[in-house]
Amino acid sequence: MDKLNLNKHISGQFNAELEGVLNQVLVMGGLVEQQLTDAITAIHEQNMDLARQIVANDHKVNALEVQIDEECTRIIAKRQPAASDLRLVLAIIKTITDLERIGDVAKRIGMMLLDNANKKQPPLVSMENMGRRTVRMLHEALDAFARMDVEAAIEVHKEDDKVDREYESIIRELMTFMMEDPRSIPHVLNVLWCARSLERVGDRVQHICEYIIYFVKGKDVRHTSDEDIHSMLD
């Protein structure tokens, strides 16, 4: 607790509750990271067994979101936290929402692969580089969350620009496929949906970084450019 600069309370139980919820968030984050990693592998290898596993495991992510949300609600009602404690609880609630939605992306990728399993359509473009980059961003954001490290969060926040550039490159390739062969359009749309979903994962990881900054600095940096974030925190 000390390393996160959290307040010490007369009630040791309150400290234990906050620490317990933080640990649950990291457990949820680890599960979501694994789901996303598996989704990237399943796309690249067209691995249907892995796709089925991803879909089957999604309920674990959802259960953790509900459990953590209920615990945060109980803490607010019972402890009536103020100042940094309240910011922490709010940051946790927002973080698990984004984690759950990243988990949904992994599940939908798995379902799409299973729905198209019999069509035996090879990937039109490789999304592995972009996918692996989003996984690294998520891993580093979770690490920053564990330490409530603002500088690390800012660095991860910047990485989304690279994801966006890779996404734009994939879009250009897909447009070429559609123009050259209109029959490829249904398949292209599936690939396009996957690419767009992975690009949105980068945005959600950025949100988690913004919640870290909000907790530590007490400043809301949503919808703020990287340059303006630096100037706001100087």
Side-chain angles (χ1 to χ4, degrees):
M1 295 281 282
D2 288 336
K3 66 183 178 181
L4 299 183
N5 297 318
L6 301 180
N7 295 326
K8 282 291 184 181
H9 304 281
I10 295 174
S11 168
Q13 182 62 30
F14 189 10
N15 289 315
E17 289 169 0
L18 290 174
E19 198 166 64
V21 173
L22 281 169
N23 288 335
Q24 285 181 302
V25 174
L26 295 176
V27 170
M28 181 182 179
L31 178 57
V32 170
E33 182 183 339
Q34 186 60 57
Q35 287 281 90
L36 185 60
T37 300
D38 289 345
I40 304 306
T41 300
I43 294 172
H44 184 64
E45 299 178 357
Q46 294 292 289
N47 187 327
M48 300 306 152
D49 289 336
L50 194 53
R52 277 187 283 271
Q53 179 181 312
I54 294 163
V55 174
N57 284 339
D58 185 63
H59 75 94
K60 298 177 183 178
V61 176
N62 295 338
L64 279 167
E65 184 200 18
V66 171
Q67 180 181 336
I68 296 168
D69 191 61
E70 288 177 349
E71 180 63 15
C72 288
T73 301
R74 191 194 65 77
I75 287 174
I76 290 173
K78 181 179 179 181
R79 303 295 185 180
Q80 298 182 357
S84 64
D85 292 330
L86 180 58
R87 293 202 305 273
L88 176 61
V89 175
L90 293 176
I92 287 171
I93 291 171
K94 292 179 178 182
T95 294
I96 62 172
T97 298
D98 278 299
L99 286 175
E100 191 275 334
R101 288 175 180 169
I102 294 172
D104 282 346
V105 167
K107 177 188 176 183
R108 289 198 296 269
I109 288 173
M111 292 176 67
M112 187 207 70
L113 287 170
L114 294 173
D115 288 343
N116 292 280
N118 295 326
K119 297 180 181 178
K120 300 186 183 304
Q121 294 172 313
L124 293 172
V125 297
S126 174
M127 288 181 283
E128 189 175 24
N129 286 341
M130 183 174 73
R132 298 298 179 199
R133 190 181 297 280
T134 62
V135 171
R136 285 196 301 273
M137 282 183 65
L138 177 58
H139 178 82
E140 291 168 3
L142 291 170
D143 184 61
F145 185 91
R147 296 178 288 112
M148 289 299 168
D149 186 332
V150 169
E151 289 303 317
I154 291 173
E155 290 306 308
V156 177
H157 197 277
K158 295 177 183 176
E159 286 294 305
D160 188 55
D161 287 343
K162 296 176 183 176
V163 174
D164 291 343
R165 286 196 293 272
E166 291 193 44
Y167 172 66
E168 290 165 3
S169 176
I170 288 171
I171 294 300
R172 287 193 293 271
E173 288 186 66
L174 293 175
M175 291 294 291
T176 300
F177 278 111
M178 287 193 290
M179 288 187 290
E180 290 179 351
D181 182 7
R183 293 172 300 177
S184 70
I185 290 176
H187 186 30
V188 167
L189 291 177
N190 281 333
V191 178
L192 177 60
W193 175 86
C194 283
R196 174 58 177 161
S197 296
L198 291 173
E199 189 272 336
R200 285 292 294 146
V201 168
D203 294 340
R204 296 200 181 282
V205 173
Q206 276 194 318
H207 296 167
I208 294 172
C209 295
E210 290 161 4
Y211 306 147
I212 294 168
I213 296 168
Y214 170 69
F215 163 63
V216 177
K217 297 294 187 179
K219 294 184 178 180
D220 189 342
V221 296
R222 290 175 296 175
H223 315 299
T224 305
S225 69
D226 292 315
E227 294 77 11
D228 289 342
I229 288 174
H230 271 293
S231 63
M232 286 177 66
L233 300 181
D234 285 342

